[in-house]
Amino acid sequence: MLVTFRSGPAGGKPNLAQVPTVRSTPEGRAGRLRSAFLNPAHLIRSINDPEHPLTLEELNVVEQVRVKVDDAESTVAVAFTPTIPHCSMATLIGLSIKVKLIRSLPERFKLDVHITPGTHASEHAVNKQLADKERVAAALENSHLLEVVNQCLSARS
């Protein structure tokens, strides 16, 4: 089953809070219901930017059109766009997205969190770090870094 998202208002950017459109497959109604709740775009929309008092959605760092879910293949791909081409927080933002998805989705899903092509000066290096399971695990063993990630994931009051 492949989950895609409806576009936003005419001329406007789509909102991550919109309901996904689910294409029917032989799984039937139960499969459609399960996938309707499998909405990674909704999970990551409220992640806080590490430098600004805004969410990643508010800064257009994450948008639903760059979140792809393939339930049948158990894959989730998220492309994010840093606010500037030399954003020093790109790796931390990607790590925060990856941690939120790891904590929220079933273990069967393979995650691909990467920078939108052509939007960051160190795109290749950041993507390589985010794709390396050992580097991600080592980063999360660092108590200071884990605290910063948890701050990004916590609700702001």
Side-chain angles (χ1 to χ4, degrees), residues 27-98:
E27 288 180 297
R29 187 170 184 268
R32 287 192 301 275
L33 287 175
R34 183 178 67 243
S35 290
F37 292 101
L38 177 66
N39 187 344
H42 180 70
L43 295 171
I44 63 175
R45 65 189 297 261
S46 62
I47 295 173
N48 299 306
D49 184 87
E51 294 182 308
H52 305 286
L54 299 169
T55 66
L56 298 183
E57 179 185 36
E58 292 167 334
L59 291 168
N60 292 322
V61 172
V62 294
E63 296 177 287
Q64 75 176 27
V65 296
R66 292 192 310 265
V67 177
K68 307 292 183 211
V69 177
D70 188 333
D71 197 8
E73 296 293 323
S74 298
T75 60
V76 175
V78 177
F80 67 99
T81 305
T83 54
I84 58 173
H86 293 282
C87 177
S88 62
M89 296 288 135
T91 305
L92 179 58
I93 290 169
L95 184 61
S96 296
I97 293 169
K98 193 157 196 160

Side-chain angles (χ1 to χ4, degrees), residues 2 7 11 14 22 30 41 66 70-71 81 90 120 122 132 147 149 155:
L2 181 65
S7 60
V22 181
R66 292 192 310 265
D70 188 333
D71 197 8
T81 305
H120 194 271
S122 301
D132 187 328
E147 183 179 330
V149 167

